[in-house]
Amino acid sequence: MNDTLVTLVGNAATGVEFRETAAGGMARFRFAVTPRRWDREKQLWADGHTSFYTVWAWRTLAWNLAGSVSVGEPLVVHGRLKVREEEREGQRRTFVDIEAVAVGHDLSRGTAAFRRVVRGDPALTARAGSADRPDDGPDEPGRSGAGAERSGSKRSTGRQKAQQELVSVP
């Protein structure tokens, strides 16, 4: 494959929007990257122009992003660069997207505690009206049929809400 893989270091500019689709979970958020340079004359750090990207994630990564990332958090995003052009209202616009392969917190700017997600007992995580939903398969850890009420819905990151659905192992 001739994909352009990139690794970006920056901050989550928006909350993670999560949607349940026919193909599984989908998440997206805006990501801001601002280069910093040392100005020798002023003896100060100077910020460059901020670039914004839309980061897309699918399936398990989408679920984990929704439960782990909040606005302003420093992240490292690795994925496929996608540049697309569209014409809107007579003007040509360019959009730069990243189809994420991996996303993590930037540990040079803070600490994190990793929790491995494992499939839990459906009775512990199921919500009203979701008991008749079939299990989605081995590539969806933590799901346990608890996502039925989200079909077609859109939500901002609710770290507490997502963590309630996931069962973690120390």
Side-chain angles (χ1 to χ4, degrees), residues 71-135:
V71 176
E73 292 183 343
L75 301 173
V76 178
V77 174
H78 180 72
R80 293 175 195 86
L81 180 68
K82 307 282 183 177
V83 179
R84 58 190 167 87
E85 291 187 17
E86 293 181 8
E87 192 165 327
R88 289 187 183 175
E89 300 171 7
Q91 291 186 339
R92 200 133 180 93
R93 300 189 60 177
T94 302
F95 299 92
V96 183
D97 299 335
I98 307 296
E99 187 177 311
V101 173
V103 177
H105 286 96
D106 182 354
L107 297 182
S108 69
R109 299 195 293 169
T111 62
F114 180 78
R115 289 178 309 277
R116 187 172 307 279
V117 178
V118 296
R119 194 175 295 280
D121 178 4
L124 296 175
T125 58
R127 293 190 180 164
S130 65
D132 57 350
R133 181 184 171 143
D135 203 14

Side-chain angles (χ1 to χ4, degrees), residues 132-146:
D132 57 350
R133 181 184 171 143
D135 203 14
D136 286 338
D139 65 338
E140 296 291 325
R143 291 286 307 278
S144 304

Side-chain angles (χ1 to χ4, degrees), residues 3-167:
D3 288 333
T4 303
L5 292 173
V6 295
T7 301
L8 303 170
V9 177
N11 295 305
T14 65
V16 176
E17 293 178 13
F18 180 86
R19 287 189 184 154
E20 183 67 32
T21 68
M26 182 277 299
R28 72 174 179 180
F29 66 97
R30 296 285 286 164
F31 189 62
V33 177
T34 305
R36 299 194 85 200
R37 307 252 187 268
W38 179 252
D39 185 335
R40 290 183 186 180
E41 292 177 13
K42 296 179 183 176
Q43 295 291 303
L44 294 171
W45 286 99
D47 287 342
H49 175 73
T50 301
S51 297
F52 289 90
Y53 304 87
T54 300
V55 177
W56 297 86
W58 304 95
R59 293 174 292 285
T60 303
L61 179 56
W63 278 92
N64 292 341
L65 275 172
S68 302
V69 174
S70 297
V71 176
E73 292 183 343
L75 301 173
V76 178
V77 174
H78 180 72
R80 293 175 195 86
L81 180 68
K82 307 282 183 177
V83 179
R84 58 190 167 87
E85 291 187 17
E86 293 181 8
E87 192 165 327
R88 289 187 183 175
E89 300 171 7
Q91 291 186 339
R92 200 133 180 93
R93 300 189 60 177
T94 302
F95 299 92
V96 183
D97 299 335
I98 307 296
E99 187 177 311
V101 173
V103 177
H105 286 96
D106 182 354
L107 297 182
S108 69
R109 299 195 293 169
T111 62
F114 180 78
R115 289 178 309 277
R116 187 172 307 279
V117 178
V118 296
R119 194 175 295 280
D121 178 4
L124 296 175
T125 58
R127 293 190 180 164
S130 65
D132 57 350
R133 181 184 171 143
D135 203 14
D136 286 338
D139 65 338
E140 296 291 325
R143 291 286 307 278
S144 304
E149 75 284 355
R150 285 196 203 141
S151 290
S153 70
K154 177 176 152 181
R155 71 174 173 100
S156 295
T157 297
R159 190 179 283 197
Q160 296 82 11
K161 201 173 196 182
Q163 286 177 341
Q164 290 172 354
E165 296 172 357
L166 305 176
V167 177

